Amino acid sequence: MSTINVEKLTKDYGHGRGVFYVSFGVEKGETLGFLGPNGAGKSTTMRHLMGFSSPQSGKAEINGLDSTAKHHEILKSVGYLPGEVALPDGLTGRQFIKMMRDMRRSEKNDRTDELLERFRLDPDCGVKRMSIGEKRKLAVVTAFMSDPDILLLDEPTSGLDPVMQEEFISFIREEKQRGKTILLSSHIFSEVEALCDRIAIIKEGRLISTVAAADVKHGLKNRFTIEFETQSDYERFIGSGLCPEQGDKSVKKCIISVPDKDTNRFLAALSVCRLKSLTEHSVTLEEYFMHFYRNEKRFKVGGVQYA
Ligand SMILES: Nc1ncnc2c1ncn2[C@@H]1O[C@H](COP(=O)(O)OP(=O)(O)OP(=O)(O)O)[C@@H](O)[C@H]1O
Ligand SMILES: [Mg+2]
């Protein structure tokens, strides 16, 4: 069974809000990016996994433990970085850290000092006086201080400055190498691209796609815009049987995605045409995901049709 397991998780808040029949798994040592527009259901799913909310139907489990029934065990063994950090007034960072450690009663390795130093946080500052980014850093420290093997990170770098975002990304890379299992929600595509092995996309409470990050990145690279010297060159190319996504004989131009299996055919077809220009598109992961964020129901990338 997957280390993090969500099966037909449903929580209906009314008016179409909530999560509906959401199912996915995160395998041991894997990092799954959890993407979706505002209000899609990412934080709701994570709160259910932590056992802070109970499902109406379906289930959320971590390490085979039901998140609702075994909430306390999960709290102890999973590092959770909530989307919104609510800190009690009147405490210093250090006191808050101690409070969290006592609450979790975790006996595992204490990495607090190392993390405070790495993320440059003064723990003796009152939490009330902390900036948004400092509060976020404090949440990072408390999520990782007991060195948990499983992490649920809800927009971990929101509010961090670019230097700290970079530091966080290298930190997570190291944690991945140490075998951590991570579910990471984010709106920052570069972060997702840098860290995630697979990506699940949720929209309006429903999981609409799960893809391997490598497949997306690879598929996106083989896209070309070709400008031909003459209309007969354009026609010769079209006659080769390869199917451009867009083409216009009058301007002697087409856009084509070439799957790896068609590479030789593509080169052969080009070799008998005179070209004005050939441009490879560096389409990013961001562009791929924007199709989902916008309301495009069907689109084609890298020769693959996505519905
Ligand atoms: N306790 C609740 N009561 C009623 N509605 C709720 C509750 N919690 C969440 N919702 C609704 O459920 C939907 C999903 O919210 P959620 O916070 O999970 O979105 P999200 O994907 O994390 O969005 P964001 O990217 O903005 O953080 C939203 O429409 C939200 O208003
Ligand atoms: Mg959220």
Side-chain angles (χ1 to χ4, degrees), residues 53-75:
S53 304
S54 310
Q56 265 159 355
S57 61
K59 60 181 177 184
E61 295 171 324
I62 295 184
N63 259 344
L65 301 175
D66 181 85
S67 296
T68 305
K70 302 288 180 187
H71 171 59
H72 291 287
E73 277 175 62
I74 285 174
L75 211 58

PDB file of all heavy atoms in Angstrom, residues 53-75:
ATOM      1  N   SER A  53      -9.664  17.018  10.011  1.00  0.00           N
ATOM      2  CA  SER A  53     -11.058  16.942   9.569  1.00  0.00           C
ATOM      3  C   SER A  53     -11.351  15.486   9.244  1.00  0.00           C
ATOM      4  O   SER A  53     -10.438  14.743   8.858  1.00  0.00           O
ATOM      5  CB  SER A  53     -11.272  17.752   8.287  1.00  0.00           C
ATOM      6  OG  SER A  53     -10.880  19.083   8.454  1.00  0.00           O
ATOM      7  N   SER A  54     -12.622  15.098   9.382  1.00  0.00           N
ATOM      8  CA  SER A  54     -12.991  13.707   9.065  1.00  0.00           C
ATOM      9  C   SER A  54     -13.764  13.664   7.761  1.00  0.00           C
ATOM     10  O   SER A  54     -14.612  14.531   7.517  1.00  0.00           O
ATOM     11  CB  SER A  54     -13.894  13.126  10.153  1.00  0.00           C
ATOM     12  OG  SER A  54     -13.312  13.369  11.395  1.00  0.00           O
ATOM     13  N   PRO A  55     -13.510  12.650   6.950  1.00  0.00           N
ATOM     14  CA  PRO A  55     -14.229  12.559   5.664  1.00  0.00           C
ATOM     15  C   PRO A  55     -15.703  12.205   5.852  1.00  0.00           C
ATOM     16  O   PRO A  55     -16.056  11.575   6.850  1.00  0.00           O
ATOM     17  CB  PRO A  55     -13.507  11.438   4.932  1.00  0.00           C
ATOM     18  CG  PRO A  55     -12.627  10.759   5.903  1.00  0.00           C
ATOM     19  CD  PRO A  55     -12.523  11.576   7.136  1.00  0.00           C
ATOM     20  N   GLN A  56     -16.517  12.639   4.896  1.00  0.00           N
ATOM     21  CA  GLN A  56     -17.920  12.190   4.885  1.00  0.00           C
ATOM     22  C   GLN A  56     -17.960  10.757   4.359  1.00  0.00           C
ATOM     23  O   GLN A  56     -18.713   9.928   4.831  1.00  0.00           O
ATOM     24  CB  GLN A  56     -18.750  13.090   3.971  1.00  0.00           C
ATOM     25  CG  GLN A  56     -19.425  14.184   4.745  1.00  0.00           C
ATOM     26  CD  GLN A  56     -19.810  15.346   3.863  1.00  0.00           C
ATOM     27  OE1 GLN A  56     -19.492  15.392   2.676  1.00  0.00           O
ATOM     28  NE2 GLN A  56     -20.502  16.282   4.449  1.00  0.00           N
ATOM     29  N   SER A  57     -17.159  10.525   3.328  1.00  0.00           N
ATOM     30  CA  SER A  57     -16.989   9.148   2.855  1.00  0.00           C
ATOM     31  C   SER A  57     -15.594   9.021   2.268  1.00  0.00           C
ATOM     32  O   SER A  57     -14.905  10.023   2.057  1.00  0.00           O
ATOM     33  CB  SER A  57     -18.063   8.799   1.821  1.00  0.00           C
ATOM     34  OG  SER A  57     -17.950   9.649   0.715  1.00  0.00           O
ATOM     35  N   GLY A  58     -15.184   7.786   2.031  1.00  0.00           N
ATOM     36  CA  GLY A  58     -13.828   7.545   1.563  1.00  0.00           C
ATOM     37  C   GLY A  58     -12.864   7.592   2.731  1.00  0.00           C
ATOM     38  O   GLY A  58     -13.282   7.694   3.885  1.00  0.00           O
ATOM     39  N   LYS A  59     -11.552   7.507   2.415  1.00  0.00           N
ATOM     40  CA  LYS A  59     -10.603   7.505   3.527  1.00  0.00           C
ATOM     41  C   LYS A  59      -9.278   8.163   3.177  1.00  0.00           C
ATOM     42  O   LYS A  59      -8.906   8.301   2.002  1.00  0.00           O
ATOM     43  CB  LYS A  59     -10.375   6.088   4.031  1.00  0.00           C
ATOM     44  CG  LYS A  59      -9.806   5.142   2.994  1.00  0.00           C
ATOM     45  CD  LYS A  59      -9.650   3.750   3.604  1.00  0.00           C
ATOM     46  CE  LYS A  59      -9.149   2.767   2.574  1.00  0.00           C
ATOM     47  NZ  LYS A  59      -9.058   1.411   3.056  1.00  0.00           N
ATOM     48  N   ALA A  60      -8.592   8.575   4.245  1.00  0.00           N
ATOM     49  CA  ALA A  60      -7.238   9.116   4.132  1.00  0.00           C
ATOM     50  C   ALA A  60      -6.385   8.319   5.106  1.00  0.00           C
ATOM     51  O   ALA A  60      -6.778   8.138   6.262  1.00  0.00           O
ATOM     52  CB  ALA A  60      -7.241  10.595   4.495  1.00  0.00           C
ATOM     53  N   GLU A  61      -5.228   7.844   4.628  1.00  0.00           N
ATOM     54  CA  GLU A  61      -4.375   7.007   5.483  1.00  0.00           C
ATOM     55  C   GLU A  61      -2.913   7.392   5.297  1.00  0.00           C
ATOM     56  O   GLU A  61      -2.499   7.759   4.198  1.00  0.00           O
ATOM     57  CB  GLU A  61      -4.487   5.535   5.068  1.00  0.00           C
ATOM     58  CG  GLU A  61      -5.826   4.901   5.270  1.00  0.00           C
ATOM     59  CD  GLU A  61      -5.888   3.519   4.622  1.00  0.00           C
ATOM     60  OE1 GLU A  61      -5.281   3.338   3.539  1.00  0.00           O
ATOM     61  OE2 GLU A  61      -6.540   2.650   5.197  1.00  0.00           O
ATOM     62  N   ILE A  62      -2.180   7.255   6.384  1.00  0.00           N
ATOM     63  CA  ILE A  62      -0.728   7.434   6.289  1.00  0.00           C
ATOM     64  C   ILE A  62      -0.082   6.219   6.938  1.00  0.00           C
ATOM     65  O   ILE A  62      -0.438   5.861   8.075  1.00  0.00           O
ATOM     66  CB  ILE A  62      -0.284   8.741   6.963  1.00  0.00           C
ATOM     67  CG1 ILE A  62      -0.879   9.930   6.186  1.00  0.00           C
ATOM     68  CG2 ILE A  62       1.232   8.832   7.038  1.00  0.00           C
ATOM     69  CD1 ILE A  62      -0.456  11.295   6.653  1.00  0.00           C
ATOM     70  N   ASN A  63       0.826   5.586   6.214  1.00  0.00           N
ATOM     71  CA  ASN A  63       1.480   4.366   6.711  1.00  0.00           C
ATOM     72  C   ASN A  63       0.471   3.318   7.166  1.00  0.00           C
ATOM     73  O   ASN A  63       0.664   2.662   8.191  1.00  0.00           O
ATOM     74  CB  ASN A  63       2.398   4.713   7.894  1.00  0.00           C
ATOM     75  CG  ASN A  63       3.845   4.772   7.445  1.00  0.00           C
ATOM     76  OD1 ASN A  63       4.196   4.293   6.369  1.00  0.00           O
ATOM     77  ND2 ASN A  63       4.682   5.377   8.280  1.00  0.00           N
ATOM     78  N   GLY A  64      -0.635   3.227   6.458  1.00  0.00           N
ATOM     79  CA  GLY A  64      -1.667   2.243   6.801  1.00  0.00           C
ATOM     80  C   GLY A  64      -2.543   2.651   7.977  1.00  0.00           C
ATOM     81  O   GLY A  64      -3.443   1.913   8.362  1.00  0.00           O
ATOM     82  N   LEU A  65      -2.287   3.832   8.570  1.00  0.00           N
ATOM     83  CA  LEU A  65      -3.105   4.273   9.712  1.00  0.00           C
ATOM     84  C   LEU A  65      -4.208   5.201   9.224  1.00  0.00           C
ATOM     85  O   LEU A  65      -3.934   6.158   8.478  1.00  0.00           O
ATOM     86  CB  LEU A  65      -2.246   5.045  10.728  1.00  0.00           C
ATOM     87  CG  LEU A  65      -1.053   4.302  11.327  1.00  0.00           C
ATOM     88  CD1 LEU A  65      -0.237   5.253  12.213  1.00  0.00           C
ATOM     89  CD2 LEU A  65      -1.540   3.106  12.145  1.00  0.00           C
ATOM     90  N   ASP A  66      -5.423   4.946   9.664  1.00  0.00           N
ATOM     91  CA  ASP A  66      -6.530   5.812   9.284  1.00  0.00           C
ATOM     92  C   ASP A  66      -6.342   7.194   9.943  1.00  0.00           C
ATOM     93  O   ASP A  66      -6.129   7.296  11.147  1.00  0.00           O
ATOM     94  CB  ASP A  66      -7.847   5.189   9.754  1.00  0.00           C
ATOM     95  CG  ASP A  66      -9.021   6.059   9.354  1.00  0.00           C
ATOM     96  OD1 ASP A  66      -9.499   5.918   8.225  1.00  0.00           O
ATOM     97  OD2 ASP A  66      -9.430   6.912  10.173  1.00  0.00           O
ATOM     98  N   SER A  67      -6.425   8.231   9.123  1.00  0.00           N
ATOM     99  CA  SER A  67      -6.069   9.570   9.622  1.00  0.00           C
ATOM    100  C   SER A  67      -6.987  10.054  10.738  1.00  0.00           C
ATOM    101  O   SER A  67      -6.541  10.779  11.626  1.00  0.00           O
ATOM    102  CB  SER A  67      -6.081  10.572   8.471  1.00  0.00           C
ATOM    103  OG  SER A  67      -5.099  10.220   7.547  1.00  0.00           O
ATOM    104  N   THR A  68      -8.261   9.675  10.698  1.00  0.00           N
ATOM    105  CA  THR A  68      -9.177  10.124  11.746  1.00  0.00           C
ATOM    106  C   THR A  68      -8.962   9.305  13.014  1.00  0.00           C
ATOM    107  O   THR A  68      -8.748   9.862  14.099  1.00  0.00           O
ATOM    108  CB  THR A  68     -10.649   9.981  11.275  1.00  0.00           C
ATOM    109  OG1 THR A  68     -10.785  10.684  10.041  1.00  0.00           O
ATOM    110  CG2 THR A  68     -11.609  10.560  12.297  1.00  0.00           C
ATOM    111  N   ALA A  69      -8.969   7.990  12.857  1.00  0.00           N
ATOM    112  CA  ALA A  69      -8.866   7.120  14.035  1.00  0.00           C
ATOM    113  C   ALA A  69      -7.494   7.244  14.713  1.00  0.00           C
ATOM    114  O   ALA A  69      -7.383   7.154  15.929  1.00  0.00           O
ATOM    115  CB  ALA A  69      -9.126   5.676  13.621  1.00  0.00           C
ATOM    116  N   LYS A  70      -6.464   7.473  13.921  1.00  0.00           N
ATOM    117  CA  LYS A  70      -5.098   7.474  14.485  1.00  0.00           C
ATOM    118  C   LYS A  70      -4.472   8.869  14.418  1.00  0.00           C
ATOM    119  O   LYS A  70      -3.262   9.007  14.219  1.00  0.00           O
ATOM    120  CB  LYS A  70      -4.223   6.466  13.710  1.00  0.00           C
ATOM    121  CG  LYS A  70      -4.742   5.055  13.731  1.00  0.00           C
ATOM    122  CD  LYS A  70      -4.567   4.422  15.104  1.00  0.00           C
ATOM    123  CE  LYS A  70      -5.090   2.994  15.115  1.00  0.00           C
ATOM    124  NZ  LYS A  70      -5.076   2.409  16.461  1.00  0.00           N
ATOM    125  N   HIS A  71      -5.308   9.881  14.591  1.00  0.00           N
ATOM    126  CA  HIS A  71      -4.864  11.276  14.494  1.00  0.00           C
ATOM    127  C   HIS A  71      -3.606  11.548  15.332  1.00  0.00           C
ATOM    128  O   HIS A  71      -2.649  12.169  14.874  1.00  0.00           O
ATOM    129  CB  HIS A  71      -6.029  12.171  14.938  1.00  0.00           C
ATOM    130  CG  HIS A  71      -5.678  13.602  15.104  1.00  0.00           C
ATOM    131  ND1 HIS A  71      -5.169  14.367  14.076  1.00  0.00           N
ATOM    132  CD2 HIS A  71      -5.761  14.422  16.185  1.00  0.00           C
ATOM    133  CE1 HIS A  71      -4.959  15.598  14.508  1.00  0.00           C
ATOM    134  NE2 HIS A  71      -5.308  15.654  15.784  1.00  0.00           N
ATOM    135  N   HIS A  72      -3.602  11.064  16.581  1.00  0.00           N
ATOM    136  CA  HIS A  72      -2.478  11.389  17.475  1.00  0.00           C
ATOM    137  C   HIS A  72      -1.177  10.740  17.029  1.00  0.00           C
ATOM    138  O   HIS A  72      -0.122  11.374  17.086  1.00  0.00           O
ATOM    139  CB  HIS A  72      -2.819  11.017  18.919  1.00  0.00           C
ATOM    140  CG  HIS A  72      -3.891  11.916  19.468  1.00  0.00           C
ATOM    141  ND1 HIS A  72      -3.650  13.226  19.812  1.00  0.00           N
ATOM    142  CD2 HIS A  72      -5.213  11.717  19.641  1.00  0.00           C
ATOM    143  CE1 HIS A  72      -4.778  13.797  20.191  1.00  0.00           C
ATOM    144  NE2 HIS A  72      -5.747  12.903  20.111  1.00  0.00           N
ATOM    145  N   GLU A  73      -1.282   9.513  16.551  1.00  0.00           N
ATOM    146  CA  GLU A  73      -0.068   8.850  16.054  1.00  0.00           C
ATOM    147  C   GLU A  73       0.463   9.564  14.813  1.00  0.00           C
ATOM    148  O   GLU A  73       1.668   9.719  14.627  1.00  0.00           O
ATOM    149  CB  GLU A  73      -0.372   7.392  15.697  1.00  0.00           C
ATOM    150  CG  GLU A  73      -0.332   6.491  16.919  1.00  0.00           C
ATOM    151  CD  GLU A  73      -0.740   5.083  16.575  1.00  0.00           C
ATOM    152  OE1 GLU A  73      -0.061   4.443  15.767  1.00  0.00           O
ATOM    153  OE2 GLU A  73      -1.768   4.633  17.129  1.00  0.00           O
ATOM    154  N   ILE A  74      -0.472  10.002  13.981  1.00  0.00           N
ATOM    155  CA  ILE A  74      -0.080  10.691  12.754  1.00  0.00           C
ATOM    156  C   ILE A  74       0.566  12.031  13.082  1.00  0.00           C
ATOM    157  O   ILE A  74       1.608  12.401  12.536  1.00  0.00           O
ATOM    158  CB  ILE A  74      -1.303  10.825  11.812  1.00  0.00           C
ATOM    159  CG1 ILE A  74      -1.563   9.446  11.183  1.00  0.00           C
ATOM    160  CG2 ILE A  74      -1.095  11.890  10.733  1.00  0.00           C
ATOM    161  CD1 ILE A  74      -2.777   9.330  10.348  1.00  0.00           C
ATOM    162  N   LEU A  75      -0.012  12.740  14.029  1.00  0.00           N
ATOM    163  CA  LEU A  75       0.532  14.030  14.472  1.00  0.00           C
ATOM    164  C   LEU A  75       1.982  13.879  14.944  1.00  0.00           C
ATOM    165  O   LEU A  75       2.823  14.734  14.704  1.00  0.00           O
ATOM    166  CB  LEU A  75      -0.344  14.528  15.635  1.00  0.00           C
ATOM    167  CG  LEU A  75      -0.514  16.015  15.807  1.00  0.00           C
ATOM    168  CD1 LEU A  75      -1.098  16.631  14.557  1.00  0.00           C
ATOM    169  CD2 LEU A  75      -1.431  16.299  17.004  1.00  0.00           C
TER     170      LEU A  75
END
